[in-house]
Amino acid sequence: MEKKPQIPFSPDPTAAGLPASQSHEMQSAGMSSAASFASGAAHEPVDARAPLVLGNETFASITDTVARPIESKTPLAWYICFAISLGMLSLLGVSIAWLFWEGIGVWGNNSPVYWAWDITNFVFWVGIGHAGTLISAVLFLFRQKWRTSVNRFAEAMTIFAVMCALIFPGIHVGRVWTAYWLLPLPNQMDAWPNFRSPLLWDVFAVSTYGTVSLLFWYTGLIPDLATLRDRAKSTIARVAYGIFALGWRGSNRHWLNYEKAYQILAGISTPLVLSVHTIVSFDFATSQLPGWHTTVFPPYFVAGAIFSGFAMVINLMIIARWVFKLENIVTMRHFENMAKIILLTGSLVGYAYAMEFFIAWYSGNPYESFAFINRATGPYAWAYWTMVSCNVISPQLFWFKKIRTNLWALFIISIFVNIGMWFERFVIIVTSLHRDFLPSSWAYFTPTVWDVTTFIGSWGLFFTMFCLFVRFLPMVAIAEVKSVMPEADPHHGTGGDHAQGTH
Amino acid sequence: MQQHPYFGVLAEFPSASAIYHACEKVRDKGFRKWDAHTPFPVHGLDRAMGLGSSKLPWIVLCMAILGGTGGFGLQAWINLNAYPVVISNKPYLSWQAFMPVTFELTVLLGAFGAVFGMWALNMLPMWYHSVFRSKRFLRASDDRFFITIESKDPKFDANATQAFLRDIGATHVELLEQ
Amino acid sequence: MTSFEEYTMTNGQQDKTYWRSLEQLADAPAFQEKLKAEFPLGANELELKAGPSRRTFLGIIGASMALAGVTSGCIRKPREKILPYTRRPEDLVEGVAQQYASVLRVGASALGVLVTSHQNRPTKIEGNPLHPMSLGGTSAWAQAMVLDLYDPDRSQSPLQSRKEAGWQSLEAQLAELASSIKGSQGSGTALLVENASSPVLNGLITEFQKVAPQAKVYVDDAGSRHAQSTALAALGLSSSQVVLEIDKAEVILSLDSDFLGTEGDVVRNTKLFAQGRKLDTPEATLTRLYSVEPHFSLTGVNADNRLLLRAGEVGDFASALFDELAAKGVRTGDKGGAPNVTGRPWAKWMSAVAADLAANRGRSLIVAGDKQPAWVHGLVVALNEALGNTGTTVRYVPDAEAPAFAGGIDELAQALNSGGVKTLVMLGGNPAYTAPADLAFSQAIGKAAVSVHLSYLVDETSTLATWHIPRSHELEAWGDLRASDGTVAIRQPLIAPLFESRSEIEILARLIGKEPARGYELTKNHWQAKIARPDFDRVWNRWLNDGVAGDVVRPNTSTVAFNFAGQAALYKNAQTFAEPTLESLELRFPYSTTLYDGRFANNAWLIELPDTVTKLSWDNAALVAPKTAEKLKLESMDLVSVEVEGRTLEIPVWVTPGVAENVLVIPQGWGRTFEGRVAAGYGFNANLLRSARSPYMLSGAKVSKGKGQYVLATTQDHGRMEGRSIVREATFAEYRKEPTFVEKGELIDRSQQKTLLWRRPYEFENGQQWGMTIDLNSCTGCNACSVACTAENNVSVVGKERVLKGREMHWIRIDRYFTGSVDDPQAVVQPVACVHCENAPCEQVCPVGATVHSPEGLNDMAYNRCIGTRYCANNCPYKVRRFNYFAFAKENDESNPLYAMQKNPNVTVRFRGVIEKCSYCVHRINDARIEAKKAGTGIVPDGRIVPACAQACPADAIVFGDVRNPESRVSQLKATPRNYVLLGELATQPRTSFLAKVRNPNPELV
């Protein structure tokens, strides 16, 4: 019987819009990595499809694997991580309290460096978020089925990263108790915000991004929450999961709308994720400060965001996979694909760095050229070269498959990438500000202890949220993974041959 | 029609292919008030059940348009009527500068349309449903596949329907109370 | 003091507070003592808490609770009571400020001023246009003196040997002194006065000398210009003063003189000098200023030709010039044994100057510096006479009523050490601090059985004297001052003394036993006796109204009888200063451009005010030339110990271009040791090295590298323009050839600077459009504008640690750049405030629209709307926006409740977390607009609005007005070819433009 491919749950690579040859290449890649990696991969998968799931897993075993961390006794490692994260989080609390009590002066910000670590951290965190949306939305549209086992995780990362990001624009204002004036709220003064300000665009962009990411994530969670509800032993768990599962009962009439909603969300999240970092880059690009006033910023920032985001996913994934024994679901192939994306975006970023210098020279604008020469040779040269070596040089190692498929190498390089990307924002913000038009106002910026504690604290928030996530929510999209298993195909077994036969 | 003591019958199937073919048969038998329950969206099942396509996109479109026009309208109104001030001596209607917010609001309301529209179409949340009465149904979110045929369906007959479902390969069939 | 100790010192302040609170717990009597004092609380708030500090712990707890919702203590707003008048005082309209004429002793000058008073609070000091020493201008010092009135540490009760004593016991003591003086004819009595510039005081001194013929009267004051008066006395002009008529001079030679900065009638000098620097018309001429000096003084900064010469060699220069002029046929006469100097590297320079001077007889002027020995002054007097300048460009004004003095501080110290002084009465001054170390004056005071010290603060001398008497501020006491040209002005108080206190004339009157001994009667009776006129009351009122005693005849200065034979006597006890080497450096002790001789050390505005040349704030340092520093292997902030004649001082060095080789410049006035909450612990006391024999320069100093560094706060790290055309400059010849030379500095053609990507919705075509010009050719960089702005706009003081972080709040700053070679540079200064761009980059980035444009072209700042994103400051290419990183204003008030009395009620006091900046004194604009509306025209006449900076400027460099009206002064200036805007290529189209600098160097020396 004829059937149109249903994306993405089509089991058929050709239906997934991929040439058969590629699908075979994918398979072999998967196989080899499986052979080299997962111990349980000795047996061949039941049929010839590229194994996104290794080992002879069944629907039930998938459910078990994913639910295990939530239902079984919490590993000691989790308690340790959570304690540390909570400690860092309380550091954030103290730092912010002190900031509110005393004023922005507790930070190192000065004149002319009116923005420093605060906005650096903001851009850094927003950037981290992007990989999540990219995996869940863009790869979805590009029908990359391998995303299914990592997207839940990446989306969670997005949301937590955006939470961290939202802290900084919130607390960096001098009179934090008036921050709500950023919103277009009617007031007795009849004053309205200034919609020409990129900072206001930020408010809308980042909050929209946070909201949509949350909705997207939650929508994906609903069927899995139902699964947990149905497996729950304790009443509390059943009620808790039950409430959020909205009474999901796997009705196929529901799946119809559900899939459509998911598809649409993916569709609008894609331009959204691109717009967010574009708009963040406008904070700088639309100003007239040499080193900020650069048209290359939007694409350059987006590439950088994806770059750092994927590095972060790899770091977190490697740990979670090890702690929760997810080797069969999160395979080497996933890591390798992400490494390739890092290699691509890293090269894009490197190109942008080079292009900045070229334009600075080509524009013939003395302030512009000075700003960039000052980056590479000025008082902050150390920061600039840290950035270059981390962002441009280290990812180039991913040209080698050996390194792409070595978890240690992946882990370390990804950390370097994140260090580098933090420094990229620092370089853009601080080195541009500290020497601008009038030499009389030039100055050097040094952070205070409170700059550092606030940044560390934001990591605390990030990790705390993550610990809670892996403990109480399925970190892999159960339903989606099942749907890409060979058994998910209605023509599998009985009608499988005819399914093959038809195309 | 009179209130029936039963909600309907619940039939369990072992695999995706089993329920796929079963659905085709139920559809061909001409049942209207029935449904299939699967742990994941089984590809092609909607066609096997003879369902049309979703109305959701229209909802999203309306919401997105509302967000876009509303967003731009707000900015235009503020800068032309409510609060026109000279800022960097830029035009009052600096429409280029209004694009980002317009776009973001379009996306935001679109997303609301997609998620809450889906809830509305599926009549979610609905924390109670008769299928939950069945112990076996717990596996509907794990590895089992179910078909429910409601007593509201004119073709429904407690015994005949159960038999029919067994015939088309149900491994277990039970009556569900209201 | 090592840098480490320095830091613990500043933190030590907080430790002290911490201990204080412990005492409070212990309810220690010492703490009860402190409670009696008016404001012990928050005494150390001016010190910055770098990172966590005294309030850190409680703060964090409190804030955490606040966040947790336990308390809402996060935002601290002051709670205040307001009491309205039940009966309004006569001629007082709420909210309308009043101005009273008075006269203040500022530095060495008697400055006529108009004092603004809000509801009887003196808040602001302006120049009195009718007074010849002011001509409407003021100086940074004059501007800051209003803050002294509200000094937190001003003394509030008499002290007997450092213990509080009631006024009764003081009066008793004074009566006793008076009778004993009368009885003993004043034998063994010594009286020390600051200066002889008050006729009333002089009259009382003469009376005192009649009552006590045996008593000795000494005079000592930084402004007493000892060398000059000695020279004049020797040349037959005893007790005469020098008045410079700079506007009449075409060629001016300054021999180590800072007549534009710290010496003599600086305001008047600047006013007249600036007149010769105006180039409003293309055919205007330009005066030429030569300066010979060992380091950059303001005079040197503004010189057309500057010869870098160590102070010890300036005398040789004068002497050589003397011969050169004689050779050029100027009848100079005998130079009294001054050395014959030949073959010096500067010979060519000198002869060029000589030629210029000789060519401009009667239109030239030579000025000798107060820091030069008397014989140099003698030579200069002779040269001016020979060049026919006497009476035209320089006048010598005798003061017939000046009392005869037994000498200065040296003589007093001798008298004390010889044991000849039983009773020492010091009417002001602070000799224990200011006297050169070799006099050991602190010990000498002890030699007198009774020592009485009248002073404003309980300073170094007060703590040594047996009696301390609180002194009234000049704005609180009646009196008078005689300017150097003989103009007399009455000093009328604006407010009753905030704390019971006495003025110098009141104390002296008591010592004579004169009744009534109240300032008002003393002053008025003195002049009533002088001006014997029936209608004196009317005359008196006119004097008070004008601020000038017009009816007092000024001495005739047309004929001067010199006796140049005195020259030899002057040179006899002259000392020579050997060519310095790295092993034996030459020391030079100028007066601080901000703290003067230290009298302003407790003035928060001045101590934070950066020196124009070094840009150092909150400290002084040993200035050394880059080359010398390199040879000595010294870097800025390195601590060195300077040793000369057995006296040593540890002080950080500050590498400063424009200092003579192998010379160490250590400004006076710093390192005060009294308990001043502002002054204490800042800077280093140059007096510890000074010698009475040669108070301003010493040779043979050794420098050894101390351990560690001392952190100095500067407001400008970078002194070069990096090839950017920020300050545009040309020589007079170039300007004549190409008047539009400024356009060469444009990166983008001026026509294109107007083209924009968008159509401007508002073309500023209606009403009056405000704009400003700043003439870099007349601006001397005196900082008056900066302090005036601080006073007018309630700008906060932030403290050293914050200046280190670049958080100073000055709305108008003086940028200083060095040009030319590092070893012999030129310096240019540029006042920068908000330039009020028509296309302001700051506005478009503010998310809440807190900074927007007014219809009259002002870049307005709405503090109440500002949420403090600081985005505007990032996007401001001029970096003129200031951010309240902490609750600066609140801390200032906590540190001293009295500061609140100075605040200008027409300007918002900014809250923590908001941006602030120059508003073009918008409150003054509105004031004028309201007036114009009441007048019916609605059009503010040109010149009616004068921003604080422009009003204070002694050089009239700042002009403000309506740029839409082609007739207005500002429009006409903007039409001149020198007009340019800063960073015009950014198309910000600023309303403030600059008039380029034009130097007039001697062509032979270019």
Side-chain angles (χ1 to χ4, degrees), chain C residues 193-211:
Chain C
V193 295
E194 283 178 325
N195 52 61
S197 59
S198 161
V200 174
L201 181 62
N202 292 353
L204 288 167
I205 292 172
T206 329
E207 282 186 57
F208 174 77
Q209 284 163 329
K210 285 204 196 71
V211 175

Side-chain angles (χ1 to χ4, degrees), chain A residues 48-281:
Chain A
R49 278 188 204 81
L52 290 157
V53 176
L54 301 173
N56 47 4
E57 299 274 2
T58 66
F59 294 145
S61 70
I62 291 285
T63 320
D64 290 332
T65 322
V66 179
R68 193 193 314 117
I70 304 164
E71 292 162 347
S72 64
K73 191 171 153 302
T74 321
L76 181 66
W78 186 88
Y79 282 110
I80 295 165
C81 294
F82 192 62
I84 297 169
S85 313
L86 222 49
M88 288 160 74
L89 179 57
S90 48
L91 192 59
L92 179 68
V94 172
S95 310
I96 292 182
W98 183 234
L99 176 78
F100 288 0
W101 184 261
E102 278 295 305
I104 300 299
V106 303
W107 288 341
N109 302 39
N110 60 26
S111 162
V113 185
Y114 290 94
W115 285 353
W117 279 38
D118 42 7
I119 303 301
T120 303
N121 297 341
F122 163 66
V123 182
F124 172 76
W125 278 119
V126 176
I128 295 289
H130 281 49
T133 326
L134 199 89
I135 289 174
S136 49
V138 179
L139 296 189
F140 178 95
L141 296 181
F142 284 115
R143 305 165 182 191
Q144 296 295 306
K145 284 179 293 157
W146 60 271
R147 65 181 271 289
T148 50
S149 27
V150 290
N151 69 331
R152 170 70 44 74
F153 205 79
E155 287 167 38
M157 184 192 73
T158 297
I159 288 152
F160 305 149
V162 172
M163 284 170 69
C164 295
L166 279 168
I167 292 173
F168 289 97
I171 64 171
H172 97 289
V173 299
R175 299 201 296 162
V176 71
W177 52 95
T178 62
Y180 70 93
W181 290 354
L182 287 164
L183 307 173
L185 302 169
N187 55 62
Q188 69 275 38
M189 304 299 292
D190 254 334
W192 293 90
N194 167 22
F195 288 93
R196 292 169 189 78
S197 167
L199 220 50
L200 200 68
W201 306 344
D202 266 0
V203 172
F204 282 84
V206 179
S207 50
T208 302
Y209 183 48
T211 316
V212 173
S213 307
L214 192 64
L215 290 173
F216 198 10
W217 186 59
Y218 178 61
T219 307
L221 265 171
I222 292 171
D224 295 358
L225 289 170
T227 308
L228 293 175
R229 173 198 61 200
D230 297 344
R231 296 169 56 95
K233 304 274 174 300
S234 76
T235 324
I236 305 149
R238 188 164 63 253
V239 171
Y241 288 122
I243 289 169
F244 288 103
L246 304 174
W248 183 263
R249 53 184 191 276
S251 152
N252 201 52
R253 298 175 185 277
H254 289 183
W255 280 120
L256 183 66
N257 296 321
Y258 177 91
E259 286 182 60
K260 189 57 74 182
Y262 201 87
Q263 219 168 351
I264 291 170
L265 280 174
I268 57 181
S269 297
T270 307
L272 175 63
V273 69
L274 298 184
S275 80
V276 170
H277 231 53
T278 301
I279 288 173
V280 169
S281 80

Side-chain angles (χ1 to χ4, degrees), chain A residues 107 110 114 197 283 367 437, chain C residues 724 805 807 871 881 985:
Chain A
W107 288 341
N110 60 26
Y114 290 94
S197 167
D283 283 347
Y367 303 114
F437 294 96
Chain C
R724 304 174 179 185
K805 280 201 150 119
R807 293 171 179 178
Y871 199 174
R881 290 178 159 263
E985 58 272 14

